[in-house]
Amino acid sequence: MRHATVTRNTLETQITVSINLDGSGVGCFETGVPFLDHMMDQIARHGLVDLDVKAVGDLHIDAHHTVEDIGITLGQAFARAIGDKKGIRRYGHAYVPLDEALSRVVIDLSGRPGLVYNIDFTRASIGQFDVDLFSEFFHGFVNHAMVTLHIDNLRGINSHHQAETVFKAFGRALRMAVETDPRMADQMPSTKGTLTA
């Protein structure tokens, strides 16, 4: 089973993330940031990964450190769980609509961190959640998961729909990329022979 648990403690946050890439979409989230919990549930369900995230952060200031550090810790756990990447598909992509909103996410488990992020949210916040923090979450993830990630919200009027299509598409793209490819057997999906250096 490809799974990992990572605990990351700083003066600002204390976070534990457990991930099972061969799960069934079960999620358990206790972060103190309800809308982020809702979005991470989309990752679990649509990515068919089991995901457990516990976080205590300095929410009396704002949610910035908590959201960013959850992205970092999730990225660290993912990097451990995926291992040497032999026999996987490596690339994943998904388009997901929700009513008027449509988003595209493309991922490469390249071993190189990179984020292209294009979301023009129609509101600055969704409930109490500052939408700028989604960028911090994904930056934290890619920098520690060592993946290349392209996120494009192609259209949308309702900011909740915009966010939800992004996270659903992210989950589905991730699911495709981590799948084992029977034609690859135990081969590395790279002409350079490694995706970790």
Side-chain angles (χ1 to χ4, degrees):
M1 297 292 282
R2 298 176 297 170
H3 57 82
T5 298
V6 171
T7 296
R8 183 179 187 273
N9 292 322
T10 72
L11 294 177
E12 297 168 337
T13 61
Q14 297 81 50
I15 298 168
T16 298
V17 172
S18 295
I19 188 169
N20 177 1
L21 299 178
D22 300 304
S24 58
V26 176
C28 182
F29 310 103
E30 299 175 19
T31 71
V33 186
F35 194 74
L36 182 63
D37 290 352
H38 178 46
M39 292 299 99
M40 288 190 298
D41 192 38
Q42 306 305 323
I43 298 172
R45 290 176 186 271
H46 290 272
L48 284 182
V49 299
D50 294 343
L51 193 55
D52 190 317
V53 181
K54 304 280 192 301
V56 176
D58 53 1
L59 296 177
H60 60 285
I61 297 173
D62 69 9
H64 186 285
H65 298 141
T66 301
V67 174
E68 179 180 29
D69 290 2
I70 288 170
I72 289 170
T73 312
L74 177 61
Q76 292 171 337
F78 177 84
R80 285 192 195 175
I82 195 65
D84 65 9
K85 305 176 189 172
K86 284 184 179 178
I88 64 167
R89 297 193 185 279
R90 174 179 169 176
Y91 300 99
H93 58 87
Y95 285 82
V96 170
L98 176 56
D99 297 343
E100 88 298 343
L102 175 66
S103 291
R104 174 184 62 218
V105 174
V106 183
I107 192 167
D108 175 11
L109 308 188
S110 61
R112 297 182 305 279
L115 177 64
V116 177
Y117 179 89
N118 294 304
I119 308 176
D120 186 15
F121 281 105
T122 57
R123 285 185 289 161
S125 62
I126 303 171
Q128 302 299 311
F129 190 90
D130 178 355
V131 298
D132 286 346
L133 299 183
F134 288 129
S135 174
E136 301 303 321
F137 173 86
F138 284 114
H139 270 106
F141 177 80
V142 301
N143 287 335
H144 294 269
M146 301 296 285
V147 302
T148 301
L149 182 63
H150 289 246
I151 297 173
D152 294 282
N153 173 240
L154 302 176
R155 63 182 62 92
I157 297 169
N158 182 303
S159 58
H160 187 135
H161 293 174
Q162 290 176 288
E164 193 161 329
T165 57
V166 164
F167 276 83
K168 286 177 176 177
F170 174 66
R172 288 189 170 266
L174 198 66
R175 173 181 168 185
M176 180 186 293
V178 304
E179 281 180 344
T180 55
D181 184 346
R183 295 180 66 196
M184 287 297 292
D186 199 34
Q187 297 178 59
M188 182 64 64
S190 171
T191 55
K192 66 182 178 184
T194 181
L195 289 173
T196 58

